Amino acid sequence: MPKSREIHLIQRPTGAPKPADFALVERDVADAADGQVLVENLLMSVDPAMRPRLTAGQALEEAMLGGALGRVVQSKHDGFAVGDLVTNRLGFREYFTSDGKGLTKLTPDPDLPLTVHMHALGGTGFTAYGGLLHIGQLKDGEQVFVSTAGGAVGSVAAQIAKIKGCYVVGSTGSDAKAAWLRDVVGLDAVINYKAQPIRQALEEATPKGLDVYFDNVGGDHLEAALRRMNTLGRIPVCGFISGYNSGHSSVSNLSNIIYSRVTLRGFVATDFMHLYGDFQRDMAAWLKDGRVKYQETIVEGIAAAPGALIGLMAGENSGKMLVRLAN
Amino acid sequence: MPKSREIHLIQRPTGAPKPADFALVERDVADAADGQVLVENLLMSVDPAMRPRLTAGQALEEAMLGGALGRVVQSKHDGFAVGDLVTNRLGFREYFTSDGKGLTKLTPDPDLPLTVHMHALGGTGFTAYGGLLHIGQLKDGEQVFVSTAGGAVGSVAAQIAKIKGCYVVGSTGSDAKAAWLRDVVGLDAVINYKAQPIRQALEEATPKGLDVYFDNVGGDHLEAALRRMNTLGRIPVCGFISGYNSGHSSVSNLSNIIYSRVTLRGFVATDFMHLYGDFQRDMAAWLKDGRVKYQETIVEGIAAAPGALIGLMAGENSGKMLVRLAN
């Protein structure tokens, strides 16, 4: 019977989450019974979408939920063998027992680092791929804006748009991330929204307007994009990070969608699961030939997980924020 | 050479338009030259969408533009004969000469009043039809909310939804219009938003949530609807009358579209011209068998046109606002 340390939410944050909102708790985890497996988590994902769940959805005084990659260390389940890698939604803990529901076996690509399965070749990459190509109906050569372009989803969305021959503008919140997007990724224009007013900077960066805005931010970024949308433009809405801490994010010029006949569409990755095979084939190839680049911010140990989430909301990560729980 | 009286915009309104923003001007109109027709307007349409053009788009010191139905009174054009009825975009004037571009010959339905071609069987009806069925992808039996349900577009949208077996809630701004919608049209629930807070009233009226919100208003109506949208709900955005006078209409909870994967789509009727034949067939039948009812507010004479537009923006019309210029 292993001991497992896990992160509990002990009070709902007001505004930005802070360390006192979380507690590190040690629990006994039962050995695998018949039909069960015991899983040790190796890597866990830290995502902006976790923030709204702290306000509503995540139970208090219980282990938090979140995407993770684990290894089966005991198995009395016919479908899993010791050593199998499994993705799961039970992050924020070191060990758990499971009857197998919600576990997906992962066969890692031998030519790529394991960690890419947690971002570019995993859920965040798939969110960018389907959000841009399916929800956003991106066409080759269009004018594209991606917000949080230095983040895990945004950086992949921006690079897919480049691969499709588009003119791509990205926004990010630091000079270092801006330099990576400009010099390494090769976006056509990069805006550090903390250094320049987003509205004016986006106007200057988009002389041909915008056909697609991949929105991770809402608020002032969405307002700025709505001013630039071309006729029949599309705005796949992936996230609204500008409102996650405050609970609201106001948009004053939504009426622009009428005259330009713009579509805004909220989505989650389950809306386009039929594309998962295409995504894995395309993205593995793009990663191997270097056409999709990535950054990772990896912190060590379950005790660091609350700080990782707090840092993510403050923009302290470069690329995907991960917590390594074991090797 | 007839004299024509026409309405000019002489200054851009701040807030609600007022009589001093307009002037009645008399002009000489040339007789029809070779290849031309002279048209006398009979009826002109007054629409909420005219308000944004007063702020930007409509030239000052020129005759205003707007939908109208006229009769050819002189013709030196092979395509038109004296007596032909023609729809045109040159309302707000009594006469005009034309080379025929922008004129569409109308064959009125002998079993219906001529005026219905200016609303339910014309552009406003078509906007409601395509906005609901094509942009909104309405399915039989869904949960539907229509704002400005007493207006020309809203009343048709609400009744089409009823014909499709939907549960339909309408909002309007007076007890008289609410009574017509409840007792004559037969909506399932009617909200007078001036008598009840829209958010709470809509929550109480939609126990099964909303699949489609046909939005003519934006602002607080859209916020209230966003709280009630079911998964994969659709919001065809036809108008944003709440912001037309002020120039902006703020929405604070747009992030709701992510979790429920809602689509908002701005549109104009030209987006679905391929449905015009279907629309005319369906709507003529619905009008003749009484399944689509309508109200009209008709004022007399070109001098009354500014007041009609001012009154429309204040909600003084019941149903379609028209100005009769001649018989």
Side-chain angles (χ1 to χ4, degrees):
Chain A
M1 182 180 291
K3 301 278 188 192
S4 175
R5 291 179 300 166
E6 54 190 45
I7 302 296
H8 289 197
L9 180 68
I10 58 171
Q11 62 185 6
R12 303 207 177 276
T14 47
K18 54 191 183 305
D21 299 328
F22 305 94
L24 180 67
V25 176
E26 188 173 273
R27 286 279 172 89
D28 292 327
V29 176
D31 288 321
D34 281 351
Q36 289 189 327
V37 291
L38 176 70
V39 174
E40 178 180 21
N41 275 329
L42 306 179
L43 287 163
M44 55 169 273
S45 176
V46 185
D47 300 304
M50 289 173 176
R51 175 63 187 85
R53 298 195 70 255
L54 304 182
T55 300
Q58 172 63 50
L60 293 173
E61 310 284 359
E62 284 186 15
M64 289 174 51
L65 299 175
L69 173 65
R71 185 190 289 120
V72 174
V73 292
Q74 297 176 0
S75 180
K76 294 187 176 178
H77 187 298
D78 292 342
F80 299 92
V82 169
D84 281 353
L85 294 175
V86 287
T87 58
N88 64 80
R89 294 295 305 161
L90 299 172
F92 288 98
R93 73 203 75 191
E94 295 178 306
Y95 291 89
F96 62 90
T97 50
S98 166
D99 63 4
K101 288 200 187 101
L103 302 185
T104 305
K105 272 203 265 194
L106 175 74
T107 304
D109 191 308
D111 299 323
L112 290 169
L114 184 61
T115 53
V116 300
H117 294 278
M118 297 296 287
H119 50 87
L121 198 52
T124 45
F126 185 49
T127 297
Y129 182 93
L132 196 64
L133 301 181
H134 179 70
I135 304 291
Q137 292 288 304
L138 185 80
K139 295 190 250 320
D140 292 0
E142 287 193 313
Q143 308 291 309
V144 178
F145 174 44
V146 178
S147 53
T148 68
V153 173
S155 63
V156 174
Q159 291 178 90
I160 293 172
K162 282 302 299 176
I163 289 167
K164 299 294 182 185
C166 296
Y167 174 89
V168 182
V169 181
S171 71
T172 189
S174 80
D175 286 340
K177 291 183 221 179
W180 182 76
L181 289 168
R182 189 182 297 111
D183 303 334
V184 180
V185 170
L187 297 194
D188 298 288
V190 181
I191 298 166
N192 177 350
Y193 67 89
K194 291 183 180 169
Q196 304 165 269
I198 183 68
R199 176 172 148 176
Q200 187 188 334
L202 186 64
E203 185 171 330
E204 290 168 3
T206 55
K208 295 182 181 173
L210 286 171
D211 302 304
V212 174
Y213 167 42
F214 191 101
D215 188 13
N216 291 305
V217 171
D220 60 352
H221 276 68
L222 179 54
E223 287 186 342
L226 283 167
R227 294 168 52 86
R228 303 299 300 155
M229 295 307 293
N230 294 330
T231 298
L232 297 176
R234 289 85 64 202
I235 304 181
V237 180
C238 179
F240 246 63
I241 198 169
S242 67
Y244 285 170
N245 281 332
S246 65
H248 56 84
S249 172
S250 197
V251 175
S252 66
N253 60 345
L254 194 60
S255 60
N256 286 22
I257 73 173
I258 302 171
Y259 312 115
S260 299
R261 295 122 75 193
V262 168
T263 301
L264 277 94
R265 187 166 163 195
F267 71 94
V268 297
T270 47
D271 291 337
F272 39 75
M273 287 310 295
H274 61 285
L275 297 177
Y276 200 72
D278 292 347
F279 159 71
Q280 288 201 303
R281 181 200 63 222
D282 288 346
M283 186 58 64
W286 292 334
L287 287 164
K288 287 174 191 176
D289 68 12
R291 296 180 82 187
V292 169
K293 300 172 178 68
Y294 58 87
Q295 293 186 296
E296 298 169 333
T297 302
I298 304 181
V299 301
E300 300 290 333
I302 186 72
L309 180 54
I310 291 166
L312 178 81
M313 294 304 297
E316 292 169 4
N317 58 306
S318 291
K320 182 67 182 185
M321 179 73 93
L322 294 171
V323 181
R324 193 187 310 277
L325 302 177
N327 284 300
Chain B
M1 183 180 291
K3 301 277 186 192
S4 176
R5 291 180 300 165
E6 53 190 45
I7 302 295
H8 288 199
L9 181 68
I10 57 170
Q11 62 185 7
R12 301 207 179 277
T14 47
K18 54 191 184 303
D21 299 328
F22 305 93
L24 180 67
V25 176
E26 188 173 272
R27 287 279 173 89
D28 292 326
V29 176
D31 288 320
D34 279 350
Q36 289 189 327
V37 290
L38 176 69
V39 176
E40 178 180 21
N41 274 328
L42 307 180
L43 286 165
M44 55 168 275
S45 177
V46 184
D47 301 304
M50 291 173 176
R51 175 63 188 85
R53 297 195 72 254
L54 303 183
T55 300
Q58 172 63 51
L60 293 172
E61 310 284 358
E62 284 186 15
M64 289 175 51
L65 298 175
L69 174 65
R71 184 190 290 119
V72 174
V73 292
Q74 298 176 359
S75 179
K76 294 187 177 178
H77 187 298
D78 290 343
F80 299 92
V82 169
D84 281 353
L85 294 176
V86 288
T87 58
N88 64 81
R89 295 294 305 161
L90 299 172
F92 288 99
R93 73 203 77 189
E94 295 177 306
Y95 291 89
F96 62 90
T97 50
S98 166
D99 63 4
K101 289 201 188 97
L103 302 186
T104 304
K105 272 202 265 193
L106 175 74
T107 305
D109 191 309
D111 300 323
L112 290 169
L114 184 62
T115 52
V116 300
H117 293 278
M118 296 296 286
H119 51 86
L121 197 53
T124 45
F126 185 48
T127 297
Y129 182 93
L132 196 64
L133 301 180
H134 179 69
I135 304 292
Q137 292 287 303
L138 185 81
K139 294 190 252 315
D140 290 358
E142 287 193 315
Q143 308 291 307
V144 177
F145 173 43
V146 178
S147 52
T148 67
V153 173
S155 63
V156 174
Q159 291 177 90
I160 294 173
K162 283 302 299 176
I163 288 168
K164 299 295 182 183
C166 296
Y167 174 89
V168 182
V169 181
S171 72
T172 190
S174 80
D175 285 339
K177 291 183 221 179
W180 182 75
L181 290 168
R182 188 182 298 109
D183 302 334
V184 180
V185 170
L187 297 193
D188 298 289
V190 180
I191 298 166
N192 177 350
Y193 67 89
K194 291 183 179 168
Q196 303 165 271
I198 183 67
R199 175 172 149 177
Q200 187 188 335
L202 187 64
E203 185 171 331
E204 290 169 2
T206 55
K208 296 183 181 173
L210 285 173
D211 302 304
V212 173
Y213 168 42
F214 191 102
D215 189 14
N216 291 305
V217 172
D220 60 352
H221 277 68
L222 179 53
E223 287 185 344
L226 283 167
R227 294 168 51 87
R228 304 299 300 155
M229 294 307 292
N230 294 331
T231 298
L232 297 176
R234 289 86 64 203
I235 304 181
V237 180
C238 179
F240 246 61
I241 198 169
S242 67
Y244 285 170
N245 282 333
S246 65
H248 57 83
S249 170
S250 196
V251 176
S252 66
N253 60 344
L254 194 60
S255 61
N256 286 23
I257 72 173
I258 303 170
Y259 312 116
S260 299
R261 297 123 74 194
V262 169
T263 301
L264 276 94
R265 186 166 165 195
F267 71 94
V268 296
T270 48
D271 292 337
F272 38 75
M273 285 310 295
H274 60 287
L275 296 178
Y276 200 71
D278 292 348
F279 158 71
Q280 288 201 303
R281 182 200 62 223
D282 288 347
M283 186 59 65
W286 292 334
L287 286 164
K288 288 174 191 176
D289 69 11
R291 296 180 82 186
V292 169
K293 300 171 178 67
Y294 58 87
Q295 294 185 295
E296 297 169 333
T297 302
I298 305 181
V299 301
E300 299 291 333
I302 186 71
L309 180 54
I310 292 166
L312 179 81
M313 294 304 297
E316 292 170 5
N317 57 307
S318 292
K320 181 66 183 185
M321 179 72 95
L322 294 171
V323 182
R324 192 188 311 275
L325 302 178
N327 283 299

Short mmCIF file of all heavy atoms in Angstrom, two decimals, chain B residues 44-83:
data_model
loop_
_atom_site.label_atom_id
_atom_site.label_comp_id
_atom_site.label_asym_id
_atom_site.label_seq_id
_atom_site.Cartn_x
_atom_site.Cartn_y
_atom_site.Cartn_z
N MET B 44 -42.18 52.99 -48.06
CA MET B 44 -40.79 52.83 -47.68
C MET B 44 -40.71 52.16 -46.31
O MET B 44 -41.59 52.29 -45.46
CB MET B 44 -40.00 54.14 -47.71
CG MET B 44 -40.58 55.25 -46.89
SD MET B 44 -39.41 56.65 -46.71
CE MET B 44 -38.45 56.09 -45.30
N SER B 45 -39.65 51.43 -46.15
CA SER B 45 -39.41 50.64 -44.95
C SER B 45 -38.58 51.43 -43.96
O SER B 45 -37.70 52.21 -44.36
CB SER B 45 -38.64 49.38 -45.39
OG SER B 45 -38.30 48.60 -44.29
N VAL B 46 -38.86 51.27 -42.68
CA VAL B 46 -38.07 51.92 -41.63
C VAL B 46 -37.54 50.80 -40.73
O VAL B 46 -38.34 50.04 -40.14
CB VAL B 46 -38.92 52.93 -40.83
CG1 VAL B 46 -38.06 53.67 -39.82
CG2 VAL B 46 -39.60 53.92 -41.78
N ASP B 47 -36.22 50.68 -40.65
CA ASP B 47 -35.59 49.51 -40.02
C ASP B 47 -34.59 49.92 -38.95
O ASP B 47 -33.88 50.91 -39.12
CB ASP B 47 -34.82 48.70 -41.06
CG ASP B 47 -35.72 48.21 -42.17
OD1 ASP B 47 -36.71 47.53 -41.86
OD2 ASP B 47 -35.44 48.53 -43.35
N PRO B 48 -34.46 49.12 -37.88
CA PRO B 48 -33.45 49.41 -36.85
C PRO B 48 -32.03 49.52 -37.43
O PRO B 48 -31.22 50.30 -36.95
CB PRO B 48 -33.56 48.22 -35.89
CG PRO B 48 -34.95 47.72 -36.07
CD PRO B 48 -35.28 47.95 -37.52
N ALA B 49 -31.74 48.74 -38.46
CA ALA B 49 -30.38 48.74 -39.02
C ALA B 49 -30.01 50.07 -39.66
O ALA B 49 -28.84 50.31 -39.98
CB ALA B 49 -30.23 47.61 -40.03
N MET B 50 -31.02 50.96 -39.85
CA MET B 50 -30.68 52.29 -40.36
C MET B 50 -29.92 53.12 -39.34
O MET B 50 -29.17 54.02 -39.72
CB MET B 50 -31.97 53.05 -40.74
CG MET B 50 -32.66 52.46 -41.95
SD MET B 50 -34.25 53.26 -42.23
CE MET B 50 -34.69 52.42 -43.77
N ARG B 51 -30.13 52.85 -38.05
CA ARG B 51 -29.52 53.70 -37.02
C ARG B 51 -27.99 53.73 -37.09
O ARG B 51 -27.40 54.83 -37.05
CB ARG B 51 -30.01 53.28 -35.63
CG ARG B 51 -29.34 54.02 -34.46
CD ARG B 51 -29.63 55.51 -34.49
NE ARG B 51 -28.87 56.26 -33.50
CZ ARG B 51 -27.63 56.70 -33.69
NH1 ARG B 51 -27.01 56.45 -34.83
NH2 ARG B 51 -27.03 57.39 -32.75
N PRO B 52 -27.31 52.55 -37.22
CA PRO B 52 -25.85 52.62 -37.29
C PRO B 52 -25.35 53.43 -38.48
O PRO B 52 -24.30 54.07 -38.40
CB PRO B 52 -25.42 51.15 -37.41
CG PRO B 52 -26.57 50.36 -36.89
CD PRO B 52 -27.80 51.17 -37.15
N ARG B 53 -26.12 53.43 -39.59
CA ARG B 53 -25.67 54.18 -40.77
C ARG B 53 -25.73 55.69 -40.53
O ARG B 53 -25.04 56.44 -41.22
CB ARG B 53 -26.51 53.81 -41.99
CG ARG B 53 -26.37 52.33 -42.37
CD ARG B 53 -26.91 52.04 -43.77
NE ARG B 53 -26.03 52.60 -44.77
CZ ARG B 53 -26.27 53.68 -45.50
NH1 ARG B 53 -27.41 54.33 -45.36
NH2 ARG B 53 -25.40 54.12 -46.37
N LEU B 54 -26.55 56.12 -39.58
CA LEU B 54 -26.58 57.56 -39.28
C LEU B 54 -25.26 57.98 -38.64
O LEU B 54 -24.82 59.12 -38.79
CB LEU B 54 -27.74 57.89 -38.34
CG LEU B 54 -29.14 57.51 -38.81
CD1 LEU B 54 -30.18 57.99 -37.80
CD2 LEU B 54 -29.43 58.06 -40.20
N THR B 55 -24.64 57.05 -37.89
CA THR B 55 -23.36 57.35 -37.23
C THR B 55 -22.21 57.25 -38.21
O THR B 55 -21.27 58.04 -38.18
CB THR B 55 -23.16 56.39 -36.04
OG1 THR B 55 -24.25 56.57 -35.13
CG2 THR B 55 -21.84 56.63 -35.34
N ALA B 56 -22.29 56.29 -39.12
CA ALA B 56 -21.22 56.11 -40.11
C ALA B 56 -21.82 55.41 -41.31
O ALA B 56 -22.49 54.39 -41.16
CB ALA B 56 -20.08 55.29 -39.53
N GLY B 57 -21.59 55.96 -42.48
CA GLY B 57 -22.06 55.31 -43.70
C GLY B 57 -22.97 56.20 -44.51
O GLY B 57 -22.76 56.38 -45.70
N GLN B 58 -23.98 56.77 -43.85
CA GLN B 58 -24.91 57.64 -44.56
C GLN B 58 -24.25 59.01 -44.78
O GLN B 58 -23.84 59.65 -43.81
CB GLN B 58 -26.20 57.81 -43.75
CG GLN B 58 -27.16 58.85 -44.29
CD GLN B 58 -27.69 58.50 -45.68
OE1 GLN B 58 -28.17 57.40 -45.90
NE2 GLN B 58 -27.57 59.43 -46.63
N ALA B 59 -24.17 59.45 -46.05
CA ALA B 59 -23.58 60.77 -46.33
C ALA B 59 -24.48 61.87 -45.78
O ALA B 59 -25.71 61.74 -45.75
CB ALA B 59 -23.39 60.94 -47.83
N LEU B 60 -23.87 62.96 -45.34
CA LEU B 60 -24.62 64.12 -44.89
C LEU B 60 -25.07 64.93 -46.11
O LEU B 60 -24.43 64.92 -47.16
CB LEU B 60 -23.76 65.00 -43.99
CG LEU B 60 -23.37 64.38 -42.64
CD1 LEU B 60 -22.36 65.27 -41.91
CD2 LEU B 60 -24.60 64.17 -41.76
N GLU B 61 -26.19 65.65 -45.92
CA GLU B 61 -26.69 66.57 -46.97
C GLU B 61 -27.04 65.83 -48.26
O GLU B 61 -26.97 66.40 -49.35
CB GLU B 61 -25.67 67.69 -47.28
CG GLU B 61 -25.14 68.41 -46.06
CD GLU B 61 -26.13 69.40 -45.45
OE1 GLU B 61 -27.24 69.56 -46.01
OE2 GLU B 61 -25.81 69.98 -44.41
N GLU B 62 -27.36 64.54 -48.13
CA GLU B 62 -27.84 63.79 -49.29
C GLU B 62 -29.09 63.03 -48.87
O GLU B 62 -29.29 62.75 -47.69
CB GLU B 62 -26.80 62.78 -49.77
CG GLU B 62 -25.65 63.41 -50.53
CD GLU B 62 -24.73 62.36 -51.12
OE1 GLU B 62 -25.13 61.18 -51.19
OE2 GLU B 62 -23.60 62.74 -51.49
N ALA B 63 -29.89 62.63 -49.87
CA ALA B 63 -31.06 61.83 -49.57
C ALA B 63 -30.62 60.52 -48.91
O ALA B 63 -29.65 59.89 -49.34
CB ALA B 63 -31.85 61.53 -50.84
N MET B 64 -31.33 60.12 -47.85
CA MET B 64 -30.99 58.89 -47.16
C MET B 64 -31.35 57.68 -48.02
O MET B 64 -32.12 57.76 -48.96
CB MET B 64 -31.72 58.84 -45.82
CG MET B 64 -31.12 59.85 -44.84
SD MET B 64 -32.02 59.96 -43.27
CE MET B 64 -32.11 58.24 -42.81
N LEU B 65 -30.76 56.55 -47.66
CA LEU B 65 -31.02 55.29 -48.35
C LEU B 65 -31.91 54.40 -47.47
O LEU B 65 -31.87 54.49 -46.25
CB LEU B 65 -29.70 54.57 -48.64
CG LEU B 65 -28.74 55.33 -49.56
CD1 LEU B 65 -27.42 54.58 -49.68
CD2 LEU B 65 -29.35 55.53 -50.93
N GLY B 66 -32.67 53.54 -48.12
CA GLY B 66 -33.50 52.62 -47.37
C GLY B 66 -34.41 51.87 -48.32
O GLY B 66 -34.65 52.33 -49.44
N GLY B 67 -34.89 50.72 -47.89
CA GLY B 67 -35.72 49.88 -48.75
C GLY B 67 -37.04 50.55 -49.09
O GLY B 67 -37.65 51.20 -48.25
N ALA B 68 -37.48 50.41 -50.32
CA ALA B 68 -38.73 51.03 -50.75
C ALA B 68 -39.37 50.19 -51.86
O ALA B 68 -38.71 49.36 -52.50
CB ALA B 68 -38.50 52.46 -51.23
N LEU B 69 -40.66 50.44 -52.07
CA LEU B 69 -41.40 49.83 -53.17
C LEU B 69 -41.97 50.97 -54.01
O LEU B 69 -42.67 51.84 -53.46
CB LEU B 69 -42.54 48.95 -52.62
CG LEU B 69 -43.50 48.37 -53.65
CD1 LEU B 69 -42.79 47.39 -54.58
CD2 LEU B 69 -44.67 47.68 -52.94
N GLY B 70 -41.65 51.00 -55.29
CA GLY B 70 -42.12 52.09 -56.14
C GLY B 70 -42.82 51.57 -57.39
O GLY B 70 -42.89 50.37 -57.65
N ARG B 71 -43.36 52.54 -58.16
CA ARG B 71 -44.03 52.21 -59.41
C ARG B 71 -43.36 53.00 -60.54
O ARG B 71 -43.07 54.19 -60.38
CB ARG B 71 -45.51 52.59 -59.33
CG ARG B 71 -46.31 52.19 -60.58
CD ARG B 71 -47.71 52.78 -60.59
NE ARG B 71 -48.58 52.19 -59.59
CZ ARG B 71 -49.15 52.86 -58.60
NH1 ARG B 71 -48.94 54.16 -58.44
NH2 ARG B 71 -49.95 52.26 -57.74
N VAL B 72 -43.10 52.33 -61.65
CA VAL B 72 -42.51 53.00 -62.80
C VAL B 72 -43.56 53.94 -63.42
O VAL B 72 -44.66 53.50 -63.77
CB VAL B 72 -42.01 51.97 -63.84
CG1 VAL B 72 -41.54 52.68 -65.11
CG2 VAL B 72 -40.90 51.11 -63.23
N VAL B 73 -43.24 55.25 -63.52
CA VAL B 73 -44.19 56.21 -64.08
C VAL B 73 -43.74 56.75 -65.43
O VAL B 73 -44.54 57.35 -66.16
CB VAL B 73 -44.49 57.36 -63.09
CG1 VAL B 73 -45.27 56.82 -61.89
CG2 VAL B 73 -43.22 58.07 -62.63
N GLN B 74 -42.47 56.60 -65.77
CA GLN B 74 -41.97 56.87 -67.14
C GLN B 74 -40.96 55.78 -67.44
O GLN B 74 -40.20 55.39 -66.55
CB GLN B 74 -41.25 58.22 -67.26
CG GLN B 74 -42.06 59.45 -66.95
CD GLN B 74 -41.20 60.72 -67.01
OE1 GLN B 74 -39.99 60.66 -67.25
NE2 GLN B 74 -41.83 61.86 -66.78
N SER B 75 -40.93 55.30 -68.69
CA SER B 75 -39.90 54.32 -69.02
C SER B 75 -39.34 54.54 -70.41
O SER B 75 -40.08 54.60 -71.38
CB SER B 75 -40.44 52.88 -68.91
OG SER B 75 -39.39 51.97 -69.25
N LYS B 76 -38.03 54.68 -70.50
CA LYS B 76 -37.31 54.58 -71.77
C LYS B 76 -36.28 53.46 -71.65
O LYS B 76 -35.17 53.55 -72.19
CB LYS B 76 -36.65 55.92 -72.11
CG LYS B 76 -37.67 57.03 -72.39
CD LYS B 76 -37.01 58.29 -72.89
CE LYS B 76 -38.07 59.34 -73.23
NZ LYS B 76 -37.43 60.60 -73.69
N HIS B 77 -36.66 52.42 -70.90
CA HIS B 77 -35.79 51.28 -70.62
C HIS B 77 -36.53 50.03 -71.10
O HIS B 77 -37.69 49.81 -70.74
CB HIS B 77 -35.53 51.21 -69.11
CG HIS B 77 -34.51 50.18 -68.70
ND1 HIS B 77 -34.66 48.83 -68.92
CD2 HIS B 77 -33.32 50.33 -68.05
CE1 HIS B 77 -33.61 48.19 -68.43
NE2 HIS B 77 -32.77 49.07 -67.90
N ASP B 78 -35.86 49.19 -71.89
CA ASP B 78 -36.52 48.01 -72.46
C ASP B 78 -37.02 47.04 -71.39
O ASP B 78 -37.94 46.26 -71.63
CB ASP B 78 -35.54 47.25 -73.37
CG ASP B 78 -35.24 48.04 -74.64
OD1 ASP B 78 -36.01 48.98 -74.94
OD2 ASP B 78 -34.23 47.72 -75.31
N GLY B 79 -36.39 47.05 -70.21
CA GLY B 79 -36.72 46.05 -69.19
C GLY B 79 -37.88 46.41 -68.31
O GLY B 79 -38.32 45.59 -67.50
N PHE B 80 -38.40 47.64 -68.42
CA PHE B 80 -39.46 48.08 -67.52
C PHE B 80 -40.55 48.78 -68.29
O PHE B 80 -40.28 49.52 -69.25
CB PHE B 80 -38.90 49.05 -66.46
CG PHE B 80 -37.84 48.45 -65.58
CD1 PHE B 80 -36.49 48.56 -65.92
CD2 PHE B 80 -38.18 47.76 -64.42
CE1 PHE B 80 -35.51 48.02 -65.11
CE2 PHE B 80 -37.21 47.21 -63.61
CZ PHE B 80 -35.86 47.33 -63.96
N ALA B 81 -41.79 48.56 -67.86
CA ALA B 81 -42.94 49.23 -68.47
C ALA B 81 -43.59 50.13 -67.43
O ALA B 81 -43.50 49.87 -66.22
CB ALA B 81 -43.96 48.20 -68.96
N VAL B 82 -44.25 51.20 -67.89
CA VAL B 82 -45.00 52.04 -66.97
C VAL B 82 -46.01 51.17 -66.22
O VAL B 82 -46.67 50.31 -66.80
CB VAL B 82 -45.72 53.18 -67.74
CG1 VAL B 82 -46.72 53.90 -66.84
CG2 VAL B 82 -44.69 54.16 -68.29
N GLY B 83 -46.04 51.36 -64.91
CA GLY B 83 -46.93 50.55 -64.07
C GLY B 83 -46.23 49.42 -63.35
O GLY B 83 -46.77 48.87 -62.38
#
